[in-house]
Amino acid sequence: MATVTHADMGEIENEPLRPKITDAKGILKQNREFLDFFWDIAKPEQEIRLKAIENLIQYLKKSEKPDELKYTLKRLVDGLSHTRETARPGFSLALAQVLSVFEEISLQTALGNIKEKHDPQKTKKKLIRNAVFGNFFGVLALSQSGRLPKEPQVVLECVQLLQSLAQYREHLKDLPRKTMVDILSETTEEVFEEVLLGALQSDLSSAFSTPEQLQLLLVAMQRFPAVLKPKKLKKLLGSATVITQDNIPKLIEVLKMAARSVKKDRVLPAVALDLLQVALKEDSFELFWREVVVNGMLSDQSGPSSYMCYRLLGSAFPLLSLAQLHQVLSGEVMRHYGEHVVSAQLPDRFKFAPEMETYVGEFLQGCSDPEKQLAVMVGFTKLTNQGYPVVPSFWKVVQHMEQSALQSYVDWLKEMFLRPQLESCLDFSTRRQQENQESGVQNEHCVFRLRKWIIPRLTSIVENNQVKKEEDLVMDVARFVFFHAFFDSKKATPDIPESQGVLSPPFNEKTRAVIVNSFFGLLQHLNHRPAAGHTPETPATNEKRIQGVTADGTLWIYSLVQYANTLLSQTKYAQCAQPFTADQTEAWDRMVASVETLRKKAKKAQTAETSAFQQLFLLVGIQLFKAPEESVDLMQDLQNCLEKAQEKKSKKKKKAAADGVEEDEPQWVEVVVEILLSLLSQPSRLIRQVCRTVFGGICPHVTQRALDAILDVLDPHKDEEESAVVVTDEKDVGKIRRRDQEEDDEEEDQEEHDEGCDLSEEDSDDDAMEEDEEVEEEEEEEVDQNFRLELMKVLQGQNALATEEDGSEDEELDDEAMMKLDSSIAALFSEQKKRIQAKKDEKERLRKEKALVRDFKIKVLDLVEVFLAKQSESPLVLSIIEPLLGVIESGMSSDTNQQEQDFLRKTADIFKNQLCKAKRYCRSVADKQEELHDMMERVLTRAQRLNDSSVSLYYFSASLYLLKVLRGHIATAAAPSEGKKESVSVEQVGAMGSVDVERVTSLFKEALRSFMTRRKSALSGAMFIDLFTRFPALCVRLLDTAVEYITDGVREHQQGQACAIVLRGLQTKEVRLLMTDAQWAELCEKTVGQVAESLKSVASYKVKVVQEKVAKALELSQLLIRSIQQQKLHMNLQPLKDVLEPMNQLEGFRKTGHMEDTYWGVMKHFGVLKPKVEKTKKAGEEQGAQKTAPKKKKGFLPETKKRKNRKKPAVLEGKEPAVQEDAGAGETGKKKKNKNKNKKKRKLEGGGEEPGHAAPKKAKAQPAGKPKKQKKKKQKQAGGE
């Protein structure tokens, strides 16, 4: 082959008539590095393009070769019309950079090359689009070079070229006009007047034809006001100004065109904003806004026009004066926008509100005038739908307001709440609202909706941490909301600013309920509000985060209690909405006195106990205004708790042991826990968080009885017994809560937005309701037998039922008897309907109670979580294990809705992460050894009896946790010296602390036996692997048992798991340290024999379980052989080798690569290497040939060519029969051409077969014939070459 090639080249060199090779483009003279720059510029990745342009500029600067610079210019101009769209901007940018850096290149020359190369008149029709883009990107490159203003003639030619490109709108759209605008913005006034004005005369004269031409005029007017004077405009447009009454219709049409052109882009057309600026400059803004925007665009009632009006409104805010802002914010555009916001709340509708929020936010951020900021915020707040503002109550744009403007806005909101001025609002009603309310909207309804919005608006300003505000503003809002939630003004006084505001009209209880709920939501925020200088994002290092206090360290809730105390004492000026009784007043006074006493003690020595009592008193005190009867009882209990706690401290100081005397009475901490449980029954996030905080403070004092009270609530076995009681309390707090819940469902609904868990409650309620409806439908289908008997009696009593004796019929009844019968039947059915409704009501009541109980239990779990986090080393933690396991087991076995799943998920998370995985655990278990061993036996026995493996895992984890507690903290003993490291490690590993090793070993041995001998066991191999890893001392005692089950396992799965368990045990270093050499050798020998015996039973690898078992057995074998060889143990491995050798011949051996690799890894230790199979390579080559063959079919030559190509190697090799057979095969293919094209292709491919072979059809069907055909084809190809 090489010889032929050299000979051919020699003939070419000696050929005198062959023309010389020319390099017209100069490509062959350039080096590879230089050419690669242009390849990279054309790539779609922007980073690669920019890097290539930068490197090209650097290269040209260093080389300083004129031919390379000339070639660069030519190559970049050619690339402007690249067929790949992403490449054109790259070449345009590169050309701009080259022209900017190398000023020796004339712009006139570059423009001439662009015109010559990309002339649309000389281009084929198919390539006109590329040529047009080439011209455009060329002008764009000249404009971006920064040199265009210096050469006026080039500027003129560029503008003329862009004007000529405007006719190709289907390709370029409005890009040429926009580029002309960009060029104008960079051109000097002198160049524009002398050069461009004449060229742009036609475009400027027809400015009202298209948006692009109008924008060109507007930009020229703003850029060159001295040139385009009114006189000049008079000549061009016929009027001295743009905004005139005569031009209004033209402007409207142009803006409509512009709005439609940006429909998909959803942006404001630049011509609209320029027109607004010209209107402001010409002092004709009112005319423009009224006639063009409102009467023109807005009346069009089309989406693009309306959205352009909204965008124009948002963009106009920074440009308008205060009076103009008031004008547009109270006009029809705002009203139209409000209707859009209300109607766009439906799904699958475009919502403009986020875009308007962006406009307002940018305006407030860039505006420093407080009056303008206030005007915009008030304007949007006044946009109301039947009294309710369309902007959300939590509007983020408030964070950009100046503090003075924010204070003014808050004052305006408070004044609007007291005396709503609906006539000043821009109120509207949608078409559907007008249809539904034919009688008109009542003024009281609008006032209620407005006040309902204002209160959350005020609280959201306080709750938004991004809003810059002083503490005085926060306190002012909190006092205002509190006053109107619980008090009424009787007489104005300067001492109480809130009393000076007169409500007109007074609000009803419905409004007050909204204010009460908003107040407690605000109190929840204040309880977590970071102190001044302590932001949540940047807490100080090693400093506890301070929350819920003012700058001077006073609790926010305490400040509000002081304010409430002032109001209660000033009865002449303020009156409580629900006046306190004598008992309630006494409870309040005692609460205030107790808090003051606690504050004095806290100044001397702040303790968690003092802080907890103080927060509880303040919280229950505030609750007096909402639930006075319940709070009085809780207050009394708190007073008793405080007195008992103080007595206990005094007795401790005197060292008088009085434990035996006080056993019968509940300790103060137990009563506090009961109070916390009672408070948790109320649907309030504030109470929930305070209870968590308070319980965290009293955790060190919690007793077993107090903890049992919490765990009893979670006990699933007590649900049926105490389903009607949430908390077992003398005051029946749970019953009071349920009664309030049934009497005031609306209040609960208003509370739901403050409590995250109530969302899941709603979902679960809906699911349960659907299930109940299905059950009710089934019950209704079953006819009540009692009702049937009663109906029969009524019919027989009125002789309306035919009997066999008298044969009476219905026709014999007269009208009076029929009426009497109808009334009796109606009464009967009415009673039946009432009974059915009573059953439904009872089911609904039970369903609600069940949901409330479940929600209450979710909150009680918070206390368990706090206790585990604060007191993880307390012995009381051990009493939590079994109750939590009971909750998990019952939750897994019951039909769960969403709320039940949340409860179960939280319980499991607490058990797994807070308990079992806790780094700190109980250390003092000397007096609880027997109890813990009994508990371990119970949970381990229960784990074996369960059917659900996921539940069994929690029980098994509990047994490991108990084992860890009994063993003690051995691993972190004092660090040993380097010389005695190994001996000390052995002692540490072998030590089991307080564990009864024999008893525990028998327990886990029985569990292992249960797993290995039961076909359906809830236990799993991973559980015992975890046991072996964490407790090597037990692993040593259980290894022999595990080895036995390598062959004695009830199924293949258990045998494989036994291999995995033993493997993990042998891999543990501590296990080897605890065993003597003789024990280790005996264990290895026994394990080798068991593995060999287990592998003997393997006949094939078809089943996946068998594959997993063999894989684990091979891994174990590899570890054993390596260990035996490294330690040079004398052991007979021949039986294992005899079993392993034939295994690679079994069916399915190569199904999994992991098993095959492990097998050869084991055999390698015996000196048997994996054979290198050459057939695999040949098969790969044949597959490659088969894969490449179909690709050649696309480029097949005609039949005549094929025959010549096939005859040519036949003649060279002297195989005439093959040629004849080829012809015959071709003829056969022609005969069957119309019958089956696929068969023809196969016959053509198999035309080189020998005469002795079977027919091509049969040969194609036989698998053995395929490689022969491939071989023949290869031979012919080789011959042809």
Side-chain angles (χ1 to χ4, degrees):
M1 189 71 186
T3 309
V4 176
T5 304
H6 287 301
D8 292 342
M9 289 184 66
E11 292 178 1
I12 292 174
E13 290 176 358
N14 298 329
E15 185 73 33
L17 300 177
R18 187 179 295 275
K20 294 183 179 180
I21 298 174
T22 59
D23 184 15
K25 297 183 179 181
I27 295 177
L28 298 179
K29 297 179 181 179
Q30 314 302 334
N31 59 48
R32 184 66 185 175
E33 179 188 1
F34 179 59
L35 295 177
D36 283 343
F37 294 143
F38 303 102
W39 284 97
D40 291 342
I41 291 174
K43 289 185 177 179
E45 294 81 6
Q46 184 177 1
E47 296 180 359
I48 298 178
R49 293 203 304 263
L50 295 177
K51 188 67 176 176
I53 294 172
E54 182 181 355
N55 294 336
L56 175 63
I57 299 298
Q58 297 297 330
Y59 178 85
L60 292 174
K61 285 181 178 180
K62 294 178 181 179
S63 64
E64 298 181 355
K65 295 181 181 180
D67 57 333
E68 289 184 344
L69 190 59
K70 183 178 179 181
Y71 177 78
T72 299
L73 178 63
K74 181 177 180 57
R75 186 72 181 267
L76 294 179
V77 170
D78 291 349
L80 295 174
S81 63
H82 203 286
T83 54
R84 193 187 304 155
E85 294 184 1
T86 55
R88 298 170 192 159
F91 282 104
S92 176
L93 181 59
L95 180 59
Q97 294 297 318
V98 169
L99 293 175
S100 176
V101 174
F102 301 98
E103 295 189 359
E104 58 266 26
I105 302 177
S106 171
L107 293 185
Q108 187 69 47
T109 303
L111 183 59
N113 293 344
I114 293 170
K115 288 182 178 180
E116 181 182 357
K117 179 64 180 178
H118 308 297
D119 189 357
Q121 305 297 329
K122 300 179 181 179
T123 308
K124 295 181 180 179
K125 188 175 182 181
K126 293 182 180 180
L127 301 178
I128 286 181
R129 173 182 170 84
N130 296 341
V132 168
F133 272 106
N135 282 287
F136 169 72
F137 279 110
V139 176
L140 192 64
L142 296 178
S143 175
Q144 292 176 347
S145 67
R147 295 170 51 193
L148 200 56
K150 301 177 183 178
E151 300 187 23
Q153 189 61 33
V154 179
V155 173
L156 177 61
E157 293 185 22
C158 287
V159 170
Q160 292 174 345
L161 181 57
L162 290 174
Q163 287 176 328
S164 65
L165 293 177
Q167 59 181 315
Y168 301 102
R169 186 175 178 81
E170 67 274 14
H171 302 307
L172 299 176
K173 297 183 180 180
D174 57 345
L175 290 176
R177 302 290 181 186
K178 290 182 177 180
T179 309
M180 290 169 64
V181 171
D182 294 338
I183 292 176
L184 281 184
S185 61
E186 298 176 359
T187 305
T188 61
E189 184 175 335
E190 182 181 358
V191 173
F192 173 77
E193 185 176 8
E194 296 178 357
V195 180
L196 294 183
L197 186 59
L200 297 175
Q201 188 83 18
S202 59
D203 287 320
L204 297 177
S205 301
S206 57
F208 298 121
S209 301
T210 63
E212 294 80 15
Q213 291 173 326
L214 178 59
Q215 188 183 3
L216 189 65
L217 172 65
L218 298 176
V219 172
M221 289 175 61
Q222 296 177 20
R223 187 79 174 83
F224 314 110
V227 178
L228 294 177
K229 296 179 180 180
K231 293 182 179 180
K232 189 67 176 177
L233 288 177
K234 183 75 173 177
K235 294 180 182 179
L236 292 173
L237 305 177
S239 60
T241 57
V242 176
I243 311 298
T244 62
Q245 192 66 42
D246 296 336
N247 293 338
I248 294 298
K250 301 176 185 177
L251 292 174
I252 292 174
E253 291 301 321
V254 171
L255 289 179
K256 286 181 180 179
M257 292 170 57
R260 289 191 294 268
S261 66
V262 296
K263 180 179 179 180
K264 295 182 179 179
D265 299 332
R266 296 180 179 178
V267 295
L268 177 68
V271 63
L273 189 59
D274 291 338
L275 197 59
L276 175 65
Q277 293 174 343
V278 169
L280 290 170
K281 186 176 181 181
E282 294 179 352
D283 200 16
S284 56
F285 172 75
E286 294 184 6
L287 176 65
F288 168 75
W289 195 260
R290 182 181 68 252
E291 298 296 334
V292 178
V293 179
V294 178
N295 297 335
M297 299 296 295
L298 203 60
S299 61
D300 188 32
Q301 296 293 332
S302 65
S305 299
S306 299
Y307 295 139
M308 193 182 79
C309 292
Y310 306 154
R311 293 186 177 101
L312 195 59
L313 172 67
S315 303
F317 292 148
L319 307 175
L320 303 181
S321 63
L322 187 61
Q324 291 169 340
L325 279 175
H326 286 297
Q327 176 187 349
V328 298
L329 289 172
S330 59
E332 286 299 317
V333 178
M334 279 291 286
R335 188 191 304 273
H336 203 278
Y337 167 71
E339 294 176 358
H340 159 77
V341 173
V342 175
S343 61
Q345 292 177 357
L346 297 174
D348 301 329
R349 290 202 177 182
F350 172 68
K351 297 174 177 57
F352 190 82
E355 195 171 338
M356 181 61 76
E357 183 178 345
T358 304
Y359 281 121
V360 177
E362 291 176 352
F363 163 73
L364 294 176
Q365 199 169 5
C367 177
S368 58
D369 188 353
E371 293 185 358
K372 288 186 177 181
Q373 287 187 340
L374 180 63
V376 172
M377 290 303 301
V378 170
F380 276 94
T381 306
K382 284 184 176 181
L383 180 61
T384 58
N385 173 34
Q386 295 186 355
Y388 198 86
V390 298
V391 295
S393 58
F394 187 84
W395 212 19
K396 294 181 181 179
V397 298
V398 184
Q399 66 192 28
H400 303 302
M401 294 183 69
E402 299 287 340
Q403 290 192 8
S404 58
L406 181 63
Q407 182 65 54
S408 302
Y409 182 56
V410 170
D411 295 339
W412 180 86
L413 287 173
K414 288 162 42 177
E415 182 64 25
M416 202 71 174
F417 176 84
L418 296 172
R419 288 181 290 274
Q421 301 173 3
L422 296 177
E423 63 278 0
S424 66
C425 295
L426 191 63
D427 197 77
F428 65 91
S429 298
T430 61
R431 184 175 58 185
R432 182 173 297 178
Q433 289 173 340
Q434 293 173 358
E435 293 174 356
N436 297 337
Q437 299 173 352
E438 297 178 358
S439 60
V441 183
Q442 297 181 358
N443 191 46
E444 295 179 0
H445 179 64
C446 294
V447 170
F448 166 72
R449 285 168 60 87
L450 180 60
R451 284 173 169 169
K452 182 182 176 181
W453 182 90
I454 289 177
I455 292 298
R457 166 82 281 188
L458 287 170
T459 57
S460 68
I461 292 174
V462 175
E463 293 172 1
N464 190 352
N465 292 326
Q466 302 297 325
V467 178
K468 299 177 182 178
K469 49 190 176 292
E470 300 292 337
E471 285 188 350
D472 294 339
L473 177 63
V474 175
M475 196 63 206
D476 184 30
V477 173
R479 286 161 57 112
F480 180 83
V481 177
F482 176 79
F483 181 87
H484 293 287
F486 303 111
F487 287 88
D488 294 321
S489 177
K490 292 176 65 177
K491 186 179 179 180
T493 175
D495 297 336
I496 306 176
E498 288 75 21
S499 65
Q500 297 178 347
V502 181
L503 285 169
S504 177
F507 52 71
N508 52 20
E509 293 302 319
K510 195 175 180 181
T511 306
R512 194 181 294 277
V514 174
I515 304 174
V516 169
N517 292 334
S518 298
F519 168 72
F520 281 101
L522 176 62
L523 197 58
Q524 158 73 8
H525 168 75
L526 294 177
N527 198 41
H528 289 85
R529 178 179 172 83
H534 294 79
T535 58
E537 292 79 7
T538 57
T541 307
N542 297 328
E543 182 180 347
K544 188 176 181 180
R545 188 174 294 172
I546 304 174
Q547 292 181 336
V549 297
T550 59
D552 58 356
T554 306
L555 289 170
W556 283 100
I557 190 172
Y558 174 74
S559 302
L560 289 173
V561 167
Q562 279 187 320
Y563 175 65
N565 196 39
T566 303
L567 294 178
L568 289 173
S569 61
Q570 300 284 343
T571 55
K572 181 180 178 180
Y573 304 105
Q575 179 183 2
C576 189
Q578 295 181 355
F580 283 177
T581 63
D583 293 341
Q584 293 166 4
T585 304
E586 182 183 357
W588 175 268
D589 294 338
R590 291 183 63 187
M591 181 272 298
V592 173
S594 300
V595 169
E596 293 299 331
T597 303
L598 290 172
R599 283 175 58 83
K600 291 178 182 178
K601 290 183 178 181
K603 289 180 180 179
K604 297 179 181 178
Q606 178 74 26
T607 62
E609 181 183 349
T610 305
S611 176
F613 272 109
Q614 185 178 348
Q615 288 190 0
L616 263 183
F617 272 115
L618 294 172
L619 176 64
V620 178
I622 289 291
Q623 286 290 320
L624 262 174
F625 294 98
K626 184 178 181 182
E629 296 179 3
E630 178 184 347
S631 300
V632 168
D633 298 334
L634 291 176
M635 194 76 72
Q636 183 63 40
D637 292 339
L638 267 179
Q639 294 286 352
N640 297 336
C641 289
L642 181 60
E643 292 173 1
K644 288 182 181 180
Q646 291 173 348
E647 289 176 6
K648 189 176 180 181
K649 282 189 176 181
S650 61
K651 288 180 181 179
K652 280 185 178 179
K653 290 179 181 178
K654 296 177 182 179
K655 297 182 180 180
D659 296 338
V661 180
E662 296 184 355
E663 279 184 359
D664 296 336
E665 285 189 22
Q667 296 188 19
W668 65 270
V669 70
E670 297 169 17
V671 183
V672 171
V673 169
E674 291 289 342
I675 294 172
L676 293 178
L677 293 176
S678 302
L679 290 173
L680 284 175
S681 65
Q682 302 182 23
S684 171
R685 290 183 64 189
L686 169 65
I687 294 178
R688 184 177 183 180
Q689 187 58 41
V690 170
C691 287
R692 283 180 63 103
T693 306
V694 170
F695 187 73
I698 65 173
C699 270
H701 309 283
V702 170
T703 62
Q704 184 65 55
R705 291 174 63 181
L707 189 60
D708 289 341
I710 297 173
L711 297 176
D712 286 344
V713 177
L714 302 176
D715 191 354
H717 302 294
K718 295 186 179 182
D719 284 350
E720 297 179 0
E721 302 173 5
E722 303 176 0
S723 59
V725 181
V726 177
V727 181
T728 306
D729 191 37
E730 296 175 359
K731 308 301 183 295
D732 291 332
V733 177
K735 293 180 179 179
I736 293 172
R737 181 183 59 80
R738 287 196 315 282
R739 186 187 64 217
D740 294 343
Q741 184 68 27
E742 292 174 358
E743 291 176 354
D744 195 3
D745 289 339
E746 181 181 355
E747 182 177 347
E748 178 197 353
D749 294 338
Q750 292 167 349
E751 287 277 0
E752 281 177 357
H753 77 279
D754 290 332
E755 185 165 3
C757 292
D758 286 344
L759 294 176
S760 61
E761 176 185 324
E762 289 179 358
D763 297 338
S764 62
D765 290 353
D766 296 339
D767 298 339
M769 190 179 297
E770 293 176 2
E771 295 174 1
D772 291 344
E773 289 175 357
E774 294 176 0
V775 174
E776 288 164 8
E777 291 176 0
E778 294 176 359
E779 290 179 354
E780 288 174 2
E781 294 176 359
E782 301 177 1
V783 181
D784 189 352
Q785 295 298 329
N786 295 328
F787 174 67
R788 175 181 288 179
L789 292 175
E790 293 178 6
L791 182 59
M792 294 285 286
K793 288 179 183 179
V794 171
L795 294 176
Q796 289 176 357
Q798 300 295 330
N799 294 325
L801 192 63
T803 60
E804 296 179 358
E805 297 177 358
D806 55 7
S808 61
E809 297 179 358
D810 294 344
E811 286 77 2
E812 296 178 4
L813 295 175
D814 55 5
D815 294 342
E816 184 179 354
M818 187 65 76
M819 293 294 293
K820 189 176 181 181
L821 177 64
D822 289 346
S823 61
S824 301
I825 293 176
L828 182 62
F829 273 97
S830 177
E831 292 178 3
Q832 178 67 9
K833 186 176 181 181
K834 289 179 180 179
R835 283 194 293 268
I836 293 175
Q837 185 62 37
K839 289 181 180 179
K840 290 182 179 179
D841 294 342
E842 181 66 17
K843 286 183 179 180
E844 180 67 15
R845 185 184 66 82
L846 293 175
R847 183 187 63 79
K848 285 186 176 181
E849 283 187 357
K850 185 178 179 181
L852 288 172
V853 170
R854 184 64 61 218
D855 182 54
F856 173 62
K857 288 187 176 184
I858 292 175
K859 297 175 186 176
V860 173
L861 276 177
D862 291 350
L863 305 184
V864 178
E865 186 176 12
V866 171
F867 186 78
L868 290 175
K870 299 280 187 180
Q871 297 293 113
S872 57
E873 297 183 5
S874 171
L876 297 178
V877 171
L878 302 173
S879 62
I880 300 177
I881 296 174
E882 289 183 292
L884 290 184
L885 288 174
V887 172
I888 294 172
E889 183 178 354
S890 63
M892 288 285 194
S893 59
S894 61
D895 296 332
T896 58
N897 51 30
Q898 183 60 43
Q899 190 188 32
E900 189 79 24
Q901 290 177 11
D902 293 339
F903 175 58
L904 177 62
R905 189 179 299 111
K906 184 171 183 177
T907 307
D909 180 69
I910 292 173
F911 181 82
K912 182 174 62 175
N913 297 322
Q914 302 290 334
L915 183 64
C916 294
K917 293 185 178 180
K919 294 182 179 179
R920 297 182 298 134
Y921 51 89
C922 180
R923 308 293 175 85
S924 56
V925 293
D927 55 338
K928 292 178 176 292
Q929 294 181 20
E930 189 65 25
E931 181 183 347
L932 294 182
H933 280 90
D934 293 341
M935 187 189 299
M936 186 190 302
E937 184 174 358
R938 288 196 301 270
V939 297
L940 202 52
T941 304
R942 186 59 185 163
Q944 301 171 44
R945 294 177 180 175
L946 291 170
N947 295 324
D948 192 344
S949 180
S950 58
V951 182
S952 180
L953 175 61
Y954 288 101
Y955 276 89
F956 198 88
S957 300
S959 67
L960 297 185
Y961 173 76
L962 292 171
L963 189 58
K964 179 176 69 172
V965 172
L966 285 167
R967 184 185 63 176
H969 205 59
I970 305 297
T972 56
S977 60
E978 295 183 1
K980 300 181 179 180
K981 184 174 182 180
E982 184 175 348
S983 61
V984 174
S985 298
V986 172
E987 292 175 2
Q988 288 181 358
V989 173
M992 290 299 288
S994 303
V995 178
D996 186 348
V997 179
E998 296 299 328
R999 181 179 180 182
V1000 172
T1001 302
S1002 63
L1003 289 176
F1004 282 102
K1005 188 176 293 185
E1006 178 61 25
L1008 183 60
R1009 185 199 64 78
S1010 174
F1011 170 56
M1012 291 297 176
T1013 57
R1014 288 177 55 190
R1015 297 185 64 84
K1016 292 184 179 179
S1017 175
L1019 302 177
S1020 65
M1023 299 178 187
F1024 292 97
I1025 290 175
D1026 191 19
L1027 170 67
F1028 280 27
T1029 305
R1030 295 170 61 183
F1031 303 98
L1034 282 180
C1035 174
V1036 172
R1037 292 169 172 80
L1038 294 173
L1039 264 177
D1040 287 338
T1041 307
V1043 170
E1044 292 175 1
Y1045 289 113
I1046 294 177
T1047 56
D1048 297 344
V1050 67
R1051 292 189 304 177
E1052 304 285 351
H1053 171 70
Q1054 274 82 353
Q1055 296 175 15
Q1057 289 299 309
C1059 293
I1061 294 170
V1062 174
L1063 175 65
R1064 177 52 60 90
L1066 297 179
Q1067 287 175 335
T1068 307
K1069 296 180 180 179
E1070 292 81 0
V1071 173
R1072 180 66 185 91
L1073 292 174
L1074 291 172
M1075 298 180 71
T1076 62
D1077 294 340
Q1079 291 175 335
W1080 179 259
E1082 182 182 356
L1083 177 64
C1084 291
E1085 186 174 5
K1086 183 178 178 181
T1087 308
V1088 169
Q1090 289 290 94
V1091 171
E1093 188 67 24
S1094 177
L1095 292 177
K1096 280 183 182 178
S1097 60
V1098 177
S1100 66
Y1101 305 105
K1102 293 182 180 179
V1103 185
K1104 185 178 181 180
V1105 180
V1106 177
Q1107 296 176 10
E1108 294 175 353
K1109 168 193 167 180
V1110 173
K1112 294 296 181 184
L1114 289 174
E1115 291 178 11
L1116 180 57
S1117 302
Q1118 191 172 18
L1119 176 69
L1120 287 169
I1121 297 171
R1122 186 189 303 118
S1123 177
I1124 291 170
Q1125 292 179 351
Q1126 288 177 353
Q1127 299 178 23
K1128 298 180 180 180
L1129 301 177
H1130 299 287
M1131 203 171 296
N1132 185 16
L1133 297 176
Q1134 188 60 37
L1136 180 60
K1137 181 180 179 182
D1138 295 340
V1139 174
L1140 291 174
E1141 281 182 341
M1143 287 184 65
N1144 62 334
Q1145 303 299 327
L1146 297 178
E1147 184 179 356
F1149 174 71
R1150 293 180 177 83
K1151 276 190 175 180
T1152 60
H1154 173 67
M1155 184 175 68
E1156 184 180 3
D1157 294 341
T1158 309
Y1159 171 80
W1160 289 114
V1162 175
M1163 296 305 295
K1164 186 177 181 181
H1165 292 290
F1166 291 113
V1168 181
L1169 300 179
K1170 184 178 180 180
K1172 295 182 180 179
V1173 184
E1174 297 181 358
K1175 293 182 180 180
T1176 307
K1177 295 183 179 180
K1178 292 183 179 179
E1181 292 176 0
E1182 291 175 2
Q1183 290 176 2
Q1186 291 175 358
K1187 288 180 182 178
T1188 54
K1191 295 181 181 178
K1192 295 182 179 179
K1193 291 180 182 178
K1194 296 181 180 179
F1196 267 7
L1197 296 173
E1199 297 296 329
T1200 53
K1201 295 282 186 180
K1202 279 187 179 179
R1203 290 171 187 165
K1204 289 180 182 179
N1205 287 341
R1206 287 181 178 176
K1207 288 178 182 179
K1208 187 174 182 180
V1211 173
L1212 288 173
E1213 294 182 8
K1215 293 185 179 180
E1216 294 181 2
V1219 178
Q1220 293 175 0
E1221 189 180 6
D1222 256 351
E1227 290 174 4
T1228 307
K1230 284 183 179 181
K1231 289 178 182 179
K1232 297 188 178 182
K1233 182 177 180 181
N1234 297 329
K1235 292 183 179 180
N1236 196 329
K1237 293 183 178 180
N1238 292 332
K1239 291 182 179 179
K1240 171 193 167 184
K1241 290 180 180 180
R1242 293 173 187 168
K1243 198 170 290 294
L1244 289 172
E1245 291 176 1
E1249 294 179 358
E1250 295 178 2
H1253 279 227
K1257 188 183 294 183
K1258 293 181 181 178
K1260 200 67 181 177
Q1262 294 175 359
K1266 289 184 179 180
K1268 293 183 180 180
K1269 292 180 184 178
Q1270 296 290 337
K1271 202 169 183 179
K1272 284 287 184 182
K1273 287 169 66 177
K1274 287 181 182 179
Q1275 290 175 359
K1276 290 190 177 184
Q1277 290 171 2
E1281 291 173 358

